[in-house]
Amino acid sequence: MLQDDGGGSAFAPLVVLELAPDTKEEAVAWLLSRIRDPQHSGGVELRPPLTPPPPKTNPNVFLVGASRRRLLSGAEDLGLFKEYSDGSMRGFTCANKLNFQGFTGDGDDFLSVAECQYIVKHELDTLRAKEETHVPGHSQAKLYPGKSIVRRLQSKGILVQMFPLHEKEELKRLSFSWYKKVKLAFQPLDDIRHYYGEGLGLYFGFLEYFTLALVPMALVGLPYYLFDWEDYDKYVVFAAFNLVWCTIILELWKQFSASLAFRWGTLSRKRAFEEPRPGFHGVLGFNPVTGREEPVYPAAKRHVRIYLVSVPFVLLCLYLSLHVMMIYFQMEGWALTLHDQDPTFWTGVLVFVPSVIYAVVIEIMNLIYRYAAEFLTEWENHRLESSYQNHLVLKVLVFNFFNCFASLFYIAFVMQDMVLLRQSLATLLITSQILNQVMEAFLPYWLQRRRNKKMIRRVQKRRTLGEQELPLEEQVRLEADMSTYLGTFDDYLELFLLFGYVSLFSCVYPLAAVLVVLNNVTEVYSDAFKMCHVFKRPFSDPAANIGVWQLAFEAMSVIAVVTNCALIGMSPQVKAYFPESDTQLILWTVAIEHFLLAVKFILTFLIPDVPKHIRIKLARLEFESLEALKRKLTALNASFLCKLIFIKLTSRLLCCGLVI
């Protein structure tokens, strides 16, 4: 895919830009000329338009790439970390490029394709307006000096999509080692990171870690489930095991995550200055940090929207969820009454129907609420993408937690019916897993096949006629019609809910861990398949951890401590020690729960987030950087002193000459 860019430097088409079909010609010409601007204007080199497509397709599709020289300078600007000659990870600099491992010749294969695409995207995002007041030919699309052009085009619907191209040969190799052969082995996390970036690499690393962490619980739970099937009173030991398990695994994950991030060079990388979101709007003002003109929106106005609209809406949704839950219990009671009056096979089946219906309703409510939460969070008009994501995650987590677990809490601590709790947990868990597999893998694949039916037939025909390579133009059209991967939000949310099912109430249904392990194994293969064949390739995300989801899982682990302690306090074995006083039982349960929470927080401080050997390496790199800076300053000072002495001597000699 490499071509010559006219200056003797190899040029690779990396990113696809698709403008709206009705985009004015002057707007297209203006954007292309701005992208071709020199480096000081933030431009990248643009490949000529694709071969003119048929009349029914969009003609405004362009490929963007950059020369090796431009990509290397972009890597330095972004502070990408690469492996140094001594094996450490250091920020790349063009002046020191020969000291980095893998840099040979002009650095042809030094940067991965994912890194090159990320650099091109960053350059496009930082392409800023100058004196333009609006996009040529689109007077409604106003521009402000210093405002990101690409983000403005996205918010106005002129730029339909921007996505990186798949690397066909590398994707084939990754697919084969990732999911095409069933094997008992770890995922190729380094290959995943190399192709998709650190964000997805960390997600699949967490999915693998979570699955392995569930194995001990599954090994304990399976015989516990088989031999104590009808003895619901003997869940104290398993609940105590839950307490230790949910605390330890999250702390150990921090260390494993830090090891991955250090190996990939993102642990000590500085976060880039965040630009405003494409959808952010407001009156024109000045950014106090950059000094550039950009929209400004009062924080007080945003807080009014959050606390007077969003919060009441979330509370209303929680009330509706509670109302649906009470309807479910009425249906459950009606089914149990029928079964008690006339116990037959069909009435026995009918007992499980309300739980199945409720599980489906929960998934539907979660989906509807998700759209409402996205609309509200967008309406709140957050300036930064990170702030938008944090508010969206908080809204979705609160509702999903209440919607999925409220009925289980009610059965466990109000009804205190452990048989019904086990039945409800099993039904909710199994139904949600089946629905998630259908919604996440099979449905997107089916929709993608429908949208691309003609193109897929053409691809299959080419392969059957001689395994000819698919032309670049057809590859772009095929990928442009694929579904867009919306990030790891839904994937982490699913793992969060599964973690809740396992850590909160699995002591009364020990088979839950076994079911989640099986689900996660299939999840690895279905996620790998959809990433390779269903979705467009996402841009690399240089993440150092799993972000706000770490806090979400830790909050769930705290709730798990409280829940399991309460279940232990309700068990007949523990109640037997307090036959006359329920108050003493409650006080002892609360005291033990507070003690375990204290131990949990102590463990959080005792187990470091970053392993010791990595902290030593980071400290050594920081020390070496300071020493290098001192030597540079010393050399500069010596050079300046020599120049000053030379100037003084010259001036004195001149003065002497003038006197003579």
Side-chain angles (χ1 to χ4, degrees):
M1 199 179 287
L2 291 178
Q3 298 184 4
D4 193 270
D5 64 358
S9 179
F11 178 93
L14 298 167
V15 176
V16 178
L17 289 180
E18 181 180 357
L19 304 179
D22 58 350
T23 305
K24 303 297 183 182
E25 291 184 5
E26 53 266 37
V28 175
W30 166 76
L31 178 61
L32 299 187
S33 65
R34 288 304 314 273
I35 294 176
R36 289 191 183 100
D37 280 348
Q39 185 173 347
H40 66 267
S41 299
V44 291
E45 300 168 33
L46 183 69
R47 187 181 189 271
L50 292 170
T51 302
K56 293 184 179 180
T57 60
N58 185 4
N60 296 325
V61 179
F62 306 98
L63 283 176
V64 178
S67 63
R68 284 193 295 269
R69 174 190 55 78
R70 185 69 184 92
L71 292 172
L72 291 174
S73 64
E76 181 176 359
D77 295 338
L78 282 171
L80 289 183
F81 273 58
K82 303 295 288 184
E83 190 173 2
Y84 205 64
S85 56
D86 60 359
S88 62
M89 301 294 291
R90 305 192 182 195
F92 175 77
T93 58
C94 292
N96 209 21
K97 58 187 179 183
L98 296 178
N99 291 325
F100 285 86
Q101 288 191 13
F103 193 96
T104 57
D106 294 330
D108 294 356
D109 300 322
F110 179 67
L111 297 174
S112 68
V113 175
E115 290 171 335
C116 294
Q117 291 168 336
Y118 177 71
I119 293 169
V120 171
K121 178 181 180 295
H122 176 266
E123 296 298 335
L124 290 173
D125 284 339
T126 55
L127 191 64
R128 304 188 181 283
K130 297 179 179 177
E131 295 82 13
E132 302 95 340
T133 58
H134 63 276
V135 177
H138 298 268
S139 57
Q140 79 282 2
K142 296 182 179 180
L143 292 174
Y144 310 105
K147 178 72 176 178
S148 173
I149 292 175
V150 169
R151 289 172 180 264
R152 192 62 174 171
L153 295 177
Q154 287 176 325
S155 63
K156 291 299 180 181
I158 299 174
L159 178 59
V160 177
Q161 59 180 340
M162 178 174 65
F163 62 92
L165 276 174
H166 274 294
E167 191 72 17
K168 290 175 285 187
E169 292 302 322
E170 189 174 351
L171 183 62
K172 288 180 183 178
R173 292 193 295 269
L174 177 61
S175 300
F176 182 77
S177 63
W178 195 2
Y179 77 90
K180 283 192 174 180
K181 55 179 182 178
V182 179
K183 59 188 186 304
L184 293 176
F186 296 110
Q187 297 179 91
L189 294 181
D190 289 326
D191 295 337
I192 297 170
R193 171 257 172 180
H194 186 268
Y195 191 81
Y196 288 107
E198 291 78 16
L200 269 171
L202 283 171
Y203 162 70
F204 283 103
F206 182 75
L207 175 58
E208 179 177 279
Y209 175 85
F210 181 43
T211 305
L212 293 175
L214 283 167
V215 171
M217 180 174 283
L219 293 177
V220 173
L222 186 59
Y224 197 91
Y225 175 82
L226 294 175
F227 296 114
D228 290 325
W229 172 258
E230 296 297 339
D231 193 354
Y232 305 108
D233 299 336
K234 294 183 179 180
Y235 57 78
V236 176
V237 176
F238 203 79
F241 180 79
N242 269 359
L243 293 174
V244 179
W245 176 83
C246 66
T247 299
I248 297 298
I249 65 162
L250 291 178
E251 294 304 316
L252 294 181
W253 160 251
K254 290 181 183 178
Q255 292 200 344
F256 181 65
S257 172
S259 300
L260 287 177
F262 177 76
R263 191 168 79 214
W264 295 341
T266 57
L267 183 61
S268 56
R269 183 179 171 186
K270 294 182 180 179
R271 188 177 181 86
F273 177 77
E274 282 193 84
E275 296 290 336
R277 295 176 54 249
F280 177 69
H281 57 85
V283 298
L284 186 62
F286 285 93
N287 187 312
V289 177
T290 63
R292 293 193 296 260
E293 284 187 300
E294 68 176 38
V296 177
Y297 190 79
K301 206 171 183 180
R302 183 181 301 112
H303 291 157
V304 169
R305 292 187 174 189
I306 292 174
Y307 295 112
L308 296 185
V309 179
S310 296
V311 172
F313 174 80
V314 173
L315 295 177
L316 176 63
C317 290
L318 295 180
Y319 171 77
L320 292 176
S321 177
L322 182 64
H323 188 66
V324 171
M325 182 187 74
M326 300 311 297
I327 294 175
Y328 154 67
F329 283 125
Q330 291 177 359
M331 294 173 58
E332 189 77 34
W334 172 75
L336 289 174
T337 302
L338 286 180
H339 183 64
D340 292 339
Q341 292 176 353
D342 185 17
T344 63
F345 171 78
W346 294 111
T347 57
V349 173
L350 185 64
V351 170
F352 292 92
V353 172
S355 297
V356 174
I357 295 175
Y358 183 55
V360 175
V361 170
I362 283 177
E363 295 298 326
I364 295 174
M365 291 176 64
N366 287 341
L367 185 62
I368 296 174
Y369 177 82
R370 170 68 180 275
Y371 289 118
E374 288 178 350
F375 173 80
L376 274 179
T377 311
E378 183 71 34
W379 178 70
E380 290 167 4
N381 197 25
H382 296 276
R383 178 182 177 273
L384 301 179
E385 185 66 28
S386 59
S387 177
Y388 171 86
Q389 290 295 333
N390 290 340
H391 282 80
L392 178 61
V393 168
L394 181 61
K395 289 185 184 71
V396 174
L397 283 186
V398 169
F399 181 79
N400 276 261
F401 179 84
F402 189 87
N403 200 29
C404 295
F405 299 114
S407 61
L408 300 180
F409 276 97
Y410 185 85
I411 295 171
F413 303 119
V414 178
M415 299 175 64
Q416 297 187 10
D417 188 342
M418 297 302 150
V419 178
L420 181 59
L421 178 61
R422 187 204 70 187
Q423 174 188 319
S424 299
L425 176 61
T427 306
L428 288 174
L429 182 58
I430 295 172
T431 307
S432 65
Q433 288 179 348
I434 294 174
L435 291 176
N436 283 329
Q437 291 293 338
V438 172
M439 295 295 293
E440 290 188 2
F442 298 106
L443 183 60
Y445 176 68
W446 180 73
L447 292 175
Q448 186 260 341
R449 284 185 64 89
R450 281 178 59 91
R451 285 194 299 266
N452 304 303
K453 192 174 182 180
K454 293 182 180 179
M455 185 64 70
I456 289 175
R457 285 179 179 175
R458 189 182 306 168
V459 173
Q460 291 175 344
K461 183 178 179 181
R462 285 182 175 273
R463 288 179 177 173
T464 55
L465 291 178
E467 296 293 328
Q468 298 179 7
E469 185 179 357
L470 187 68
L472 180 60
E473 292 81 4
E474 292 189 4
Q475 179 191 350
V476 171
R477 293 172 195 154
L478 176 64
E479 294 184 22
D481 290 335
M482 287 182 174
S483 301
T484 300
Y485 182 63
L486 300 178
T488 55
F489 185 98
D490 291 317
D491 297 316
Y492 278 121
L493 179 61
E494 181 185 352
L495 294 182
F496 172 79
L497 296 177
L498 292 177
F499 179 74
Y501 284 125
V502 171
S503 61
L504 295 178
F505 299 106
S506 66
C507 58
V508 297
Y509 185 60
L511 201 61
V514 179
L515 295 176
V516 174
V517 168
L518 296 176
N519 174 83
N520 286 0
V521 172
T522 59
E523 185 82 9
V524 169
Y525 288 95
S526 64
D527 283 353
F529 172 78
K530 72 182 183 182
M531 291 306 304
C532 294
H533 294 287
V534 175
F535 293 124
K536 296 183 183 73
R537 183 179 186 175
F539 281 104
S540 173
D541 177 23
N545 48 56
I546 63 175
V548 68
W549 292 104
Q550 181 72 38
L551 296 176
F553 280 94
E554 290 179 356
M556 181 68 82
S557 70
V558 172
I559 299 173
V561 171
V562 178
T563 302
N564 283 278
C565 284
L567 288 173
I568 292 173
M570 291 168 52
S571 66
Q573 300 98 313
V574 175
K575 284 184 177 181
Y577 291 99
F578 303 92
E580 299 179 356
S581 176
D582 291 338
T583 304
Q584 286 188 356
L585 173 61
I586 294 173
L587 290 176
W588 271 102
T589 302
V590 172
I592 293 174
E593 172 245 314
H594 280 62
F595 172 76
L596 291 174
L597 286 176
V599 172
K600 176 180 176 60
F601 290 119
I602 290 173
L603 286 175
T604 302
F605 287 104
L606 291 180
I607 302 177
D609 295 347
V610 181
K612 183 178 180 180
H613 68 280
I614 293 180
R615 285 185 280 121
I616 293 174
K617 290 180 180 178
L618 291 176
R620 185 185 301 135
L621 286 176
E622 185 177 358
F623 173 76
E624 291 176 358
S625 299
L626 291 175
E627 289 296 311
L629 181 61
K630 288 179 182 178
R631 289 193 296 269
K632 187 175 181 179
L633 291 175
T634 302
L636 289 174
N637 290 333
S639 175
F640 176 76
L641 183 61
C642 291
K643 290 180 180 178
L644 183 62
I645 293 173
F646 176 77
I647 292 172
K648 287 186 176 181
L649 288 175
T650 304
S651 61
R652 288 189 179 184
L653 290 174
L654 289 173
C655 291
C656 292
L658 290 174
V659 171
I660 293 172

